[in-house]
Amino acid sequence: MTIATRHAPLVDTAPMHARQRPVEEFSSTIREICGNFGIEPSLRGQGLVAGTASRLHLSRFETAVVSCDAERVIRDARMIRDDPGGHLFLIVQDKGICRIHQSGKSHLLEPGDMFLVDSAEPSDFVYAGQHARQVSLHLPREEMLHRFGPACTGGLGIDRDDPLFLAMRAVLAKLFMEDGVAAPHLGEALLSLLGAYLRCIETQTGMAEKREEAVLSRALAIMERRCHDAGFGPAELADDLAVSPRTLQRHFSALGETASERLMAIRLDMARARLEAPASRGDSVSTIAFEAGFNDLSYFYRTFRKRFGVSPGAVRPPVSP
């Protein structure tokens, strides 16, 4: 995994870790603040989630700050029927990492990254049991549609290499530094920058490119979901996508790697994250390897050392005296 350039956290004073509580209790808090979402605790959580969720106002935007160590958070079609929601969520990854899946697209969020989530479409946030914190600005969906058109819907990752990304981050940082409620001009500035970004996306991306990206994004989303299965490989992925193995490899050539190489990287990154997590200290290396989709322990040790330059045991946190 390539760790992107770090940005200072927006809410560094907010707690990352919290007491564990029943997943139903945490789900109720999330529903009250963000709407109807389902929380799936990690396997080691045993029905418990360590998480916090709070609400604040930035300019005229309702904003949520959520941290948790869940396996995943989902919003499916049934939840949308029960709670249609009236917002787009501008998600800012403040700490930790998260993989967001929406509308056939998959986007990895590292600290500082942003993604525009559509509450009217199913979404899947994968945390893999790691502690993560996100800031979510709730933007009125109808107003955004009126201002920006359909380009703002369906889920959209904000390219951190785009100059407009840096400008949006600067405005967000200023909103958190100042009295957000008393700074309506900053909220309008943020929306203007977002609108400029959406217009650039519309003019630069053709339909053929969008179709190509959709296949690759779907492939990455399926990999994230099925990588735990040791029997899952490129052939099974091609079947899931209803494409030939040759077509699958053509799509991955855009990344400069094969589907097998990407799947291996996902499994190794997942295993390393588990090994480094204090909460997994009681799990053996073999247990973590098997849960990451490896069925040959010696092969896991060999590939792990080749990728990271150290043995799996070397990345584990030291035991406190």
Side-chain angles (χ1 to χ4, degrees), residues 164-187:
L164 289 169
F165 169 93
L166 297 176
M168 282 187 272
R169 279 286 313 189
V171 171
L172 281 168
K174 198 166 183 61
L175 273 169
F176 274 88
M177 288 171 58
E178 300 186 1
D179 183 349
V181 178
H185 62 286
L186 291 176

Short mmCIF file of all heavy atoms in Angstrom, two decimals, residues 164-187:
data_model
loop_
_atom_site.label_atom_id
_atom_site.label_comp_id
_atom_site.label_asym_id
_atom_site.label_seq_id
_atom_site.Cartn_x
_atom_site.Cartn_y
_atom_site.Cartn_z
N LEU A 164 -7.44 21.65 -6.78
CA LEU A 164 -8.69 21.98 -6.10
C LEU A 164 -8.85 21.18 -4.81
O LEU A 164 -9.50 21.63 -3.87
CB LEU A 164 -9.88 21.75 -7.03
CG LEU A 164 -10.01 22.76 -8.18
CD1 LEU A 164 -11.05 22.28 -9.20
CD2 LEU A 164 -10.38 24.14 -7.64
N PHE A 165 -8.28 19.97 -4.78
CA PHE A 165 -8.29 19.17 -3.55
C PHE A 165 -7.58 19.94 -2.44
O PHE A 165 -8.08 20.05 -1.31
CB PHE A 165 -7.60 17.82 -3.78
CG PHE A 165 -7.33 17.03 -2.53
CD1 PHE A 165 -8.24 16.09 -2.08
CD2 PHE A 165 -6.17 17.22 -1.80
CE1 PHE A 165 -8.00 15.36 -0.91
CE2 PHE A 165 -5.91 16.51 -0.64
CZ PHE A 165 -6.83 15.57 -0.21
N LEU A 166 -6.39 20.47 -2.75
CA LEU A 166 -5.63 21.21 -1.74
C LEU A 166 -6.39 22.44 -1.26
O LEU A 166 -6.36 22.78 -0.08
CB LEU A 166 -4.27 21.61 -2.32
CG LEU A 166 -3.35 20.44 -2.72
CD1 LEU A 166 -2.09 20.97 -3.37
CD2 LEU A 166 -3.01 19.59 -1.50
N ALA A 167 -7.07 23.09 -2.19
CA ALA A 167 -7.85 24.28 -1.81
C ALA A 167 -9.00 23.89 -0.89
O ALA A 167 -9.28 24.58 0.11
CB ALA A 167 -8.37 24.98 -3.06
N MET A 168 -9.70 22.79 -1.20
CA MET A 168 -10.80 22.33 -0.34
C MET A 168 -10.30 21.95 1.05
O MET A 168 -10.92 22.26 2.06
CB MET A 168 -11.52 21.16 -1.00
CG MET A 168 -12.48 21.57 -2.11
SD MET A 168 -13.49 20.20 -2.74
CE MET A 168 -12.42 19.54 -4.00
N ARG A 169 -9.14 21.27 1.11
CA ARG A 169 -8.57 20.91 2.40
C ARG A 169 -8.24 22.15 3.22
O ARG A 169 -8.45 22.20 4.43
CB ARG A 169 -7.30 20.08 2.20
CG ARG A 169 -7.52 18.61 1.92
CD ARG A 169 -7.95 17.82 3.11
NE ARG A 169 -7.18 18.06 4.31
CZ ARG A 169 -7.29 17.34 5.42
NH1 ARG A 169 -8.15 16.34 5.48
NH2 ARG A 169 -6.57 17.62 6.49
N ALA A 170 -7.72 23.17 2.55
CA ALA A 170 -7.37 24.41 3.25
C ALA A 170 -8.60 25.07 3.85
O ALA A 170 -8.59 25.56 4.99
CB ALA A 170 -6.65 25.36 2.31
N VAL A 171 -9.70 25.09 3.09
CA VAL A 171 -10.94 25.67 3.59
C VAL A 171 -11.48 24.86 4.77
O VAL A 171 -11.91 25.42 5.79
CB VAL A 171 -12.00 25.77 2.47
CG1 VAL A 171 -13.36 26.17 3.04
CG2 VAL A 171 -11.56 26.76 1.41
N LEU A 172 -11.43 23.53 4.66
CA LEU A 172 -11.89 22.68 5.76
C LEU A 172 -11.07 22.92 7.02
O LEU A 172 -11.63 23.02 8.13
CB LEU A 172 -11.80 21.20 5.34
CG LEU A 172 -12.92 20.70 4.44
CD1 LEU A 172 -12.56 19.33 3.86
CD2 LEU A 172 -14.23 20.61 5.21
N ALA A 173 -9.76 23.00 6.87
CA ALA A 173 -8.90 23.24 8.03
C ALA A 173 -9.26 24.56 8.70
O ALA A 173 -9.30 24.66 9.93
CB ALA A 173 -7.43 23.23 7.60
N LYS A 174 -9.54 25.59 7.90
CA LYS A 174 -9.90 26.90 8.45
C LYS A 174 -11.25 26.84 9.15
O LYS A 174 -11.45 27.48 10.20
CB LYS A 174 -9.91 27.94 7.33
CG LYS A 174 -9.83 29.39 7.83
CD LYS A 174 -9.49 30.33 6.71
CE LYS A 174 -9.33 31.76 7.22
NZ LYS A 174 -8.23 31.89 8.19
N LEU A 175 -12.18 26.06 8.61
CA LEU A 175 -13.48 25.90 9.26
C LEU A 175 -13.33 25.31 10.65
O LEU A 175 -14.03 25.70 11.59
CB LEU A 175 -14.39 25.00 8.41
CG LEU A 175 -15.21 25.68 7.31
CD1 LEU A 175 -15.83 24.65 6.39
CD2 LEU A 175 -16.30 26.55 7.92
N PHE A 176 -12.41 24.33 10.79
CA PHE A 176 -12.22 23.71 12.09
C PHE A 176 -11.43 24.61 13.04
O PHE A 176 -11.58 24.54 14.25
CB PHE A 176 -11.53 22.35 11.94
CG PHE A 176 -12.48 21.23 11.66
CD1 PHE A 176 -12.86 20.92 10.36
CD2 PHE A 176 -13.03 20.48 12.69
CE1 PHE A 176 -13.74 19.90 10.10
CE2 PHE A 176 -13.91 19.45 12.45
CZ PHE A 176 -14.28 19.16 11.14
N MET A 177 -10.56 25.45 12.49
CA MET A 177 -9.76 26.34 13.34
C MET A 177 -10.59 27.50 13.89
O MET A 177 -10.39 27.95 15.01
CB MET A 177 -8.58 26.90 12.54
CG MET A 177 -7.48 25.89 12.25
SD MET A 177 -6.25 26.55 11.10
CE MET A 177 -5.71 28.00 11.99
N GLU A 178 -11.54 27.97 13.06
CA GLU A 178 -12.35 29.11 13.46
C GLU A 178 -13.68 28.64 14.00
O GLU A 178 -13.96 27.45 14.09
CB GLU A 178 -12.54 30.06 12.27
CG GLU A 178 -11.23 30.61 11.73
CD GLU A 178 -11.45 31.66 10.66
OE1 GLU A 178 -12.60 31.96 10.35
OE2 GLU A 178 -10.43 32.16 10.14
N ASP A 179 -14.54 29.57 14.31
CA ASP A 179 -15.89 29.25 14.75
C ASP A 179 -16.70 28.91 13.50
O ASP A 179 -17.14 29.79 12.76
CB ASP A 179 -16.51 30.45 15.48
CG ASP A 179 -17.90 30.13 16.03
OD1 ASP A 179 -18.45 29.07 15.66
OD2 ASP A 179 -18.42 30.92 16.81
N GLY A 180 -16.86 27.61 13.24
CA GLY A 180 -17.49 27.18 12.00
C GLY A 180 -18.88 27.72 11.80
O GLY A 180 -19.29 28.03 10.68
N VAL A 181 -19.66 27.88 12.88
CA VAL A 181 -21.03 28.37 12.76
C VAL A 181 -21.03 29.82 12.28
O VAL A 181 -21.92 30.25 11.55
CB VAL A 181 -21.76 28.24 14.11
CG1 VAL A 181 -23.17 28.80 14.01
CG2 VAL A 181 -21.81 26.77 14.54
N ALA A 182 -20.02 30.59 12.70
CA ALA A 182 -19.99 32.01 12.38
C ALA A 182 -19.20 32.31 11.10
O ALA A 182 -18.81 33.44 10.87
CB ALA A 182 -19.37 32.78 13.54
N ALA A 183 -18.97 31.30 10.28
CA ALA A 183 -18.16 31.49 9.07
C ALA A 183 -18.90 30.98 7.83
O ALA A 183 -18.44 30.07 7.17
CB ALA A 183 -16.82 30.79 9.22
N PRO A 184 -20.09 31.56 7.52
CA PRO A 184 -20.84 31.07 6.36
C PRO A 184 -20.09 31.24 5.05
O PRO A 184 -20.28 30.46 4.11
CB PRO A 184 -22.12 31.92 6.39
CG PRO A 184 -21.75 33.15 7.16
CD PRO A 184 -20.76 32.69 8.19
N HIS A 185 -19.21 32.25 4.95
CA HIS A 185 -18.48 32.47 3.71
C HIS A 185 -17.53 31.31 3.40
O HIS A 185 -17.29 30.99 2.24
CB HIS A 185 -17.69 33.78 3.79
CG HIS A 185 -16.66 33.79 4.88
ND1 HIS A 185 -17.00 33.91 6.21
CD2 HIS A 185 -15.31 33.70 4.82
CE1 HIS A 185 -15.88 33.89 6.94
NE2 HIS A 185 -14.86 33.76 6.13
N LEU A 186 -17.03 30.65 4.46
CA LEU A 186 -16.15 29.51 4.24
C LEU A 186 -16.94 28.32 3.69
O LEU A 186 -16.44 27.57 2.84
CB LEU A 186 -15.45 29.12 5.54
CG LEU A 186 -14.40 30.11 6.05
CD1 LEU A 186 -13.84 29.65 7.39
CD2 LEU A 186 -13.28 30.28 5.04
N GLY A 187 -18.16 28.13 4.16
CA GLY A 187 -19.00 27.06 3.62
C GLY A 187 -19.29 27.27 2.15
O GLY A 187 -19.25 26.34 1.35
#
